[in-house]
Amino acid sequence: MVSGFTQVVAVIGHPITQVKSPENFNRYFAEQQMDSVMIPVDIAPEAVADYLLALRGWLNMSGVLVTVPHKQRAATLVDELTPRARHLNAVNVIRKLADGRLQGDMLDGVGFSLAAAAHGFQAEGKTALLSGCGGVGSAIAWGLCEAGIRQLALHDQNPATLQLLHNRLATHFPEVILTPLPDTLSGIHLLVKRFSGGNGEFRSSAATATLTGDSRRGNPRRRCRYRPGAHAAAGFRTGARLA
């Protein structure tokens, strides 16, 4: 039951009807008997700055999840960024610190790694292939590198997007072997396809038939489909809290 003592967290985006975070978080709050509630907030892009200004004085709101299209804009409006958020130039979590300042973090990659681990995949020393190097894909790649992935193959239909992520990872994770799309899935422990608008596939590549064939033959490789709401809740459960 929501009362005057209830702590509020929000998820902001535009539109907001597609998000699953309120369901996941409110279920978690109920299971943990926490006097907290998450609300969805549809914020127009031009109003994000005003919203975060109001957040500073909103005493019973401890933080915010950020979804599309506000992740990059919000990163420019907080007082400080964690190293990964600064390098990725995006946030999906804003915490209100004890002194009232706002700290932004990017937990998409952390959440994905937790979800993969829950399915039995441990990244350390392994080889992965990531298709889709945009915002969420970049965060997933960063999370895999943080988790100790040994080799990471990158694929994106936009060469500039792929090169940008490659350069970032090469700079900050020189120990990780970065490769282009391989001709076969042999030796790949994890295949990650970042879906845009609900779809994603390998195109314009000599590896297409091989990759599709390997998948259809049922090779015992783990595949994770990223669902932002579910994995944000996973990050929250492990202590990446909005407090």
Side-chain angles (χ1 to χ4, degrees):
M1 177 70 69
V2 175
S3 72
F5 295 97
T6 302
Q7 283 292 304
V8 180
V9 293
V11 53
I12 64 171
H14 181 68
I16 203 68
T17 54
Q18 79 283 1
V19 301
K20 302 298 182 183
S21 296
E23 299 171 27
N24 293 321
F25 274 79
N26 288 323
R27 183 183 306 111
Y28 173 79
F29 293 148
E31 291 171 352
Q32 300 299 313
Q33 297 184 324
M34 296 173 62
D35 190 7
S36 299
V37 64
M38 172 171 276
I39 60 172
V41 182
D42 192 342
I43 295 289
E46 61 271 19
V48 172
D50 288 339
Y51 178 84
L52 294 183
L53 181 62
L55 174 61
R56 297 174 186 276
W58 194 333
L59 300 183
N60 68 335
M61 179 169 283
S62 53
V64 175
L65 288 188
V66 183
T67 189
V68 293
H70 302 323
K71 293 183 179 183
Q72 287 75 30
R73 172 65 171 149
T76 69
L77 297 170
V78 296
D79 299 304
E80 67 177 62
L81 296 168
T82 63
R84 63 177 157 236
R86 184 171 64 254
H87 294 311
L88 291 168
N89 193 34
V91 301
N92 77 329
V93 171
I94 298 174
R95 305 179 183 91
K96 188 188 297 182
L97 303 178
D99 60 5
R101 292 179 304 122
L102 302 181
Q103 180 193 65
D105 200 355
M106 171 52 82
L107 295 178
D108 279 338
V110 175
F112 180 86
S113 294
L114 289 168
H119 285 81
F121 178 79
Q122 298 297 329
E124 187 172 2
K126 299 295 196 332
T127 299
L129 188 160
L130 171 70
S131 175
C133 299
V136 171
S138 293
I140 290 173
W142 195 277
L144 288 172
C145 290
E146 286 184 325
I149 203 79
R150 181 182 66 85
Q151 182 170 320
L152 181 61
L154 301 174
H155 170 71
D156 197 281
Q157 295 182 44
N158 186 326
T161 299
L162 188 154
Q163 191 62 51
L164 178 61
L165 177 58
H166 181 282
N167 292 346
R168 283 175 172 168
L169 297 178
T171 298
H172 298 286
F173 301 99
E175 71 281 5
V176 177
I177 301 169
L178 301 174
T179 70
L181 188 68
D183 292 327
T184 175
L185 285 180
S186 177
I188 301 292
H189 301 103
L190 178 72
L191 169 61
V192 184
K193 297 178 72 175
R194 170 59 185 143
F195 286 73
S196 177
N199 296 294
E201 62 185 26
F202 293 97
R203 298 179 184 173
S204 304
S205 168
T208 301
T210 303
L211 291 170
T212 303
D214 277 356
S215 297
R216 289 177 179 175
R217 283 197 294 271
N219 280 1
R221 295 181 177 85
R222 301 176 179 89
R223 288 173 288 168
C224 290
R225 183 167 182 175
Y226 180 75
R227 295 190 302 144
H231 298 322
F236 188 92
R237 282 196 294 273
T238 60
R241 299 192 177 187
L242 302 172

